[in-house]
């Protein structure tokens, strides 16, 4: 799969149906039962909104909308500090997993999405991120330490929010904390980041903020 923190959904439609069921309690053809535990009597007794609550047409419409959202525009990509930060990003080894560019399939279902170069800053693959980020449980083929590389596009806009939290569970209060939590396959890049002088770190943060 390519969708979800642990790449446990194979398609955008699967990811939407799983989120609708797990986060909102809405049934669909993929998740026909309410996700209520035996002790959750109020959940089990709540009125249903249909059987299923989300039609196939609604799921397809949501998937079309999300698939065709325009990527966030970069900000000040040519400023000297951002350019220096981008060089640090590559020198540290961050781009090995946070790949700057990917290309869509030539036979993508939507003609608008075929053979398109885009810049998500991810490889969409699972990586062992170390014990510090482990959640203590496997998820399909992903182990407790395995996480899909998070896309970085738009991260500068997230950072501007008042309640910005980074990593899969929002534990990191800043980009610096998020980087320092990296371990496992990313340990070497994390250590190189920790050894940077303050000015180089600031440039790297500026580059990330521009995405």
């Amino acid at each position: 799969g390519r969708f979800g923190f642990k790449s446990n959904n194979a398609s955008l439609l699967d990811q939407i149906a799983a989120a609708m069921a797990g986060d909102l309690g809405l049934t669909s053809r993929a998740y026909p039962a309410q996700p209520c535990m035996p002790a959750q009597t109020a959940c089990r007794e709540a009125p249903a909104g249909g059987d299923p609550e989300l039609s196939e047409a609604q799921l397809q419409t949501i998937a079309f909308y999300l698939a065709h959202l325009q990527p966030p525009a970069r900000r000040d990509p040519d400023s000297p500090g951002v350019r220096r930060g981008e060089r640090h990003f590559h020198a540290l080894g961050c781009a090995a997993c946070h790949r700057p560019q990917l290309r869509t399939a030539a036979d993508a279902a939507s003609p608008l999405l075929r053979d398109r170069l885009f810049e998500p800053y991810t490889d969409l693959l699972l990586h062992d991120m170390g014990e510090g980020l482990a959640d203590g449980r496997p998820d399909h083929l992903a182990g407790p330490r395995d996480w899909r590389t998070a896309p970085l596009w738009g991260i500068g806009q997230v950072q501007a929010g008042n309640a910005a939290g980074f990593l899969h569970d929002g534990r990191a209060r800043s980009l610096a904390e998020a980087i320092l939590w990296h371990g496992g396959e990313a340990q070497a890049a994390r250590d190189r980041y920790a050894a940077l002088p303050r000015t180089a770190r600031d440039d790297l943060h500026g580059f990330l903020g521009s995405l």
Side-chain angles (χ1 to χ4, degrees):
R2 292 291 183 266
F3 298 90
F5 286 128
K6 295 207 170 210
S7 293
N8 53 13
N9 285 304
S11 71
L12 181 58
L13 203 65
D14 291 339
Q15 174 67 19
I16 293 167
M20 289 293 184
D23 299 338
L24 299 177
L26 297 176
T27 59
S28 64
R29 53 92 178 156
Y31 293 85
Q34 289 286 350
C36 303
M37 300 301 289
Q40 295 177 302
T41 55
C43 176
R44 290 187 285 110
E45 294 172 359
D51 187 21
E53 292 167 308
L54 284 173
S55 69
E56 187 66 20
Q58 288 173 316
L59 285 174
Q60 292 287 350
T61 300
I62 296 169
F64 181 90
Y65 166 69
L66 292 178
H68 291 81
L69 281 175
Q70 183 175 349
R74 289 197 55 187
R75 294 159 300 284
D76 300 322
D78 296 322
S79 71
V82 168
R83 287 289 184 88
R84 291 193 300 269
E86 186 172 14
R87 289 194 291 271
H88 291 309
F89 184 81
H90 286 271
L92 294 174
C94 306
C97 298
H98 291 284
R99 290 180 55 186
Q101 292 185 331
L102 297 175
R103 186 175 291 277
T104 62
D107 59 350
S110 171
L112 294 173
L113 301 179
R114 292 174 186 165
D115 199 28
R116 299 290 295 271
L117 192 67
F118 63 110
E119 300 181 344
Y121 286 85
T122 176
D123 58 6
L124 296 175
L125 300 176
L126 286 174
H127 295 278
D128 179 346
M129 294 301 293
E131 196 60 36
L133 290 179
D135 63 354
R137 66 182 184 90
D139 193 338
H140 293 278
L141 297 180
R145 295 159 52 118
D146 295 335
W147 298 97
R148 186 197 66 169
T149 304
L152 297 181
W153 59 0
I155 198 169
Q157 295 178 346
V158 173
Q159 187 181 11
N162 293 327
F166 302 98
L167 300 176
H168 65 276
D169 54 5
R171 71 177 68 180
R173 297 165 296 180
S174 66
L175 293 172
E177 284 192 5
I179 297 169
L180 291 171
W181 272 106
H182 283 49
E185 294 178 47
Q187 184 69 46
R190 179 260 181 219
D191 292 345
R192 286 190 286 267
Y193 167 81
L196 285 177
R198 177 64 179 271
T199 54
R201 283 198 195 188
D202 289 343
D203 286 339
L204 177 64
H205 300 162
F207 164 69
L208 294 174
S210 77
L211 297 180

